[in-house]
Amino acid sequence: LEMDMRATADNHLVVIHDSTVNRTTDGRGAVSSLTLEELKRLDAGYNWSQDGGQSFPWRGRGLSVPTLAEVFAVFHGVRLNIDIKQEHPSIVEPFCSMIRAHRMEGKVMAASFNQSSLDEFRAACSEVATSGSVLDIRAFLALKTEQAETAHSHAIRALQVPEHAGGRQLLTDAFIAEAHRRGLEVHAWTINDEAAMRRLIEVK
């Protein structure tokens, strides 16, 4: 399972992508400005629609923004890819502590588009795997052997990339073969088209 993580005003880690609750709930405001109690009052299924806004089948069904602790409790045996969305203030230390408290070290992979967040996490929680950062992936693409090989010392286990970026196709046979040669998994994101999924399944 892949998810995104932020913190509430009273420092509870919660699973939500956006920096605000505006798009997905019936509330308004930044996640970081709401206490957990305030966040839990919001209807997290309020704006979800599968037919362009004609119907909203999950409104009033009791869905709320989950805490990371709740996710760990329900999906304890599941591999979780968790994207650290919040940069300031840092949530790395409480994240690492929660992983250890729930004994999820072997189930979690941490990711982030923010280099400083990943660097901090790698230093604080070196036993937990991370995906490659943007800089790691650029080094890999440039075939800078020394930089790419250094990935192993930072617990990098996967390169998470889109199928295309910057006008070039990233997910090629050669890219995946080289990643596998270095002991790295390749995770494709975000693939919402069935034809693309089937095409990528065939890439070895």
Side-chain angles (χ1 to χ4, degrees):
L1 298 177
E2 192 276 342
M3 62 203 68
D4 305 279
M5 180 185 61
R6 298 181 180 276
T8 61
D10 49 349
N11 301 314
H12 288 273
L13 298 179
V14 291
V15 175
I16 185 170
H17 175 277
D18 295 4
S19 61
T20 75
V21 298
N22 302 4
R23 182 175 65 89
T24 56
T25 79
D26 57 345
R28 305 287 296 177
V31 176
S32 60
S33 71
L34 300 169
T35 65
L36 180 60
E37 182 180 359
E38 291 169 333
L39 190 68
K40 282 293 189 179
R41 291 195 202 115
L42 303 179
D43 186 345
Y46 190 80
N47 286 324
W48 191 88
S49 176
Q50 198 170 17
D51 53 18
Q54 297 299 309
S55 64
F56 299 89
W58 292 103
R59 282 185 181 179
R61 301 285 292 274
L63 296 181
S64 63
V65 176
T67 65
L68 185 62
E70 289 170 338
V71 171
F72 279 177
V74 174
F75 297 104
H76 191 267
V78 178
R79 295 175 67 186
L80 305 176
N81 189 100
I82 303 175
D83 192 331
I84 305 169
K85 285 295 186 191
Q86 181 172 311
E87 182 179 355
H88 300 294
S90 172
I91 55 177
V92 164
E93 287 293 344
F95 180 32
C96 183
S97 296
M98 186 168 290
I99 291 172
R100 290 169 174 163
H102 287 262
R103 299 181 179 180
M104 292 289 286
E105 294 94 334
K107 292 295 184 181
V108 167
M109 175 175 289
S112 182
F113 283 103
N114 181 265
Q115 185 70 45
S116 62
S117 293
L118 268 185
D119 288 343
E120 184 182 356
F121 183 85
R122 289 166 179 169
C125 231
S126 59
E127 72 274 25
V128 178
T130 71
S131 67
S133 68
V134 173
L135 291 179
D136 295 325
I137 293 168
R138 285 176 180 168
F140 181 87
L141 287 170
L143 299 179
K144 296 179 179 177
T145 303
E146 183 178 347
Q147 293 183 46
E149 293 291 357
T150 303
H152 295 281
S153 66
H154 292 302
I156 293 174
R157 303 289 173 80
L159 299 176
Q160 298 178 335
V161 296
E163 185 179 8
H164 298 91
R168 67 184 291 189
Q169 182 177 1
L170 298 183
L171 294 176
T172 63
D173 288 352
F175 179 98
I176 294 172
E178 179 62 16
H180 289 173
R181 188 185 74 79
R182 297 182 187 278
L184 300 171
E185 297 179 7
V186 178
H187 299 168
W189 62 265
T190 299
I191 314 298
N192 291 326
D193 176 70
E194 183 178 344
M197 292 179 192
R198 293 188 180 281
R199 182 173 65 254
L200 290 170
I201 287 171
E202 296 304 317
V203 179
K204 304 301 182 184

